[in-house]
Amino acid sequence: LARLDPPEDAQDEFDALLGHLDDVTADLRAVAVAARGNDVVKQRQAATRLVRSTGEVQQAETALKNAVEG
């Protein structure tokens, strides 16, 4: 995705989407680390962050779509 050139009017929304996707990646890694460590508290915290970051991706995706479609 980072190689794509969005329309000028949608650059900020595109950048936000990429940032939120990076957050999801980090949160998924945190979930995996917590699961391997058998730490229930860390698992719950990581899962909560993952749910939040996934929602942010959905919002950023909608904002990008709206910016591209006008």
Side-chain angles (χ1 to χ4, degrees):
L1 279 175
R3 293 183 192 178
L4 295 176
D5 283 329
E8 286 183 30
D9 296 352
Q11 185 67 53
D12 291 341
E13 291 83 358
F14 183 73
D15 291 341
L17 176 61
L18 291 179
H20 291 303
L21 287 170
D22 287 341
D23 294 342
V24 167
T25 300
D27 292 339
L28 278 170
R29 285 189 178 116
V31 168
V33 167
R36 279 189 232 108
N38 293 322
D39 186 329
V40 176
V41 173
K42 286 184 180 180
Q43 289 172 7
R44 188 177 311 118
Q45 292 170 341
T48 299
R49 286 191 306 271
L50 178 59
V51 169
R52 184 183 65 240
S53 63
T54 301
E56 290 169 350
V57 165
Q58 291 172 341
Q59 290 174 352
E61 187 176 23
T62 299
L64 177 59
K65 179 181 175 189
N66 290 339
V68 169
E69 292 178 355

